[in-house]
Amino acid sequence: MQLTHEENQFERKTFPITLVCDHIYFQQNIGSLFRISEAFGVENIIFLGKDIPLTPRKINKTSRSTHLHVPHQIIEETTELTAYLQENNFEIIALEITSNSKPLKEVLIPKDKKTALLIGSEIAGISEELLKISHQIVHINMFGKNSSMNVVQAASIALYEITSL
């Protein structure tokens, strides 16, 4: 028999992870990112960009009301985000396929630092500015011809891997 949300026996836990969303604007993705962040105990979500559509009416369907429970903020400028991450001593991990990225399974999560997991926009990925400040750049190994996947699917896989360490 399927269990309800109240009946499941999963341990409630929050991880020192901040999900950083670099110019993600598709409302279904934003709602789904709230939902997956709540499921994996993400501490905070930062949306980078201007005019991020966080109106609950539009994202509520995919977020299933998790946008009410996951702390989040908007930072409009990359320079402000960079300063925030560096001043607060985050381990900055970018999820992107680059010439020097390593497989996600090789990610190293320091025990004494908060983690910022950077995910990129649906169109352009993670900006060069943010890749330059990243301590680690990781990718998800894929075995088909396609070299990308939906940002929410990729974030889900990465959060599963990081919270399982």
Side-chain angles (χ1 to χ4, degrees), residues 25-72:
Y25 289 101
F26 295 0
Q27 293 169 2
Q28 296 87 342
N29 286 341
I30 292 171
S32 294
L33 287 167
F34 273 109
R35 191 169 177 187
I36 203 67
S37 293
E38 196 278 334
F40 280 109
V42 167
E43 189 173 75
N44 185 32
I45 302 174
I46 296 175
F47 294 96
L48 173 62
K50 294 184 170 113
D51 302 318
I52 305 290
L54 290 183
T55 52
R57 180 178 59 81
K58 294 183 179 183
I59 62 170
N60 190 40
K61 187 172 185 177
T62 51
S63 78
R64 305 277 309 262
S65 298
T66 55
H67 63 282
L68 302 172
H69 308 293
V70 178
H72 59 280

Side-chain angles (χ1 to χ4, degrees), residues 97-111:
I97 298 172
T98 69
S99 60
N100 65 333
S101 60
K102 62 184 181 182
L104 176 60
K105 290 198 173 291
E106 296 176 19
V107 70
L108 300 172
I109 306 297
K111 300 290 183 211

Side-chain angles (χ1 to χ4, degrees), residues 97 139-151 153:
I97 298 172
H139 63 261
I140 298 167
N141 285 341
M142 292 180 276
F143 305 101
K145 289 183 180 181
N146 186 22
S147 65
S148 69
M149 63 177 64
N150 174 275
V151 67
Q153 294 166 345

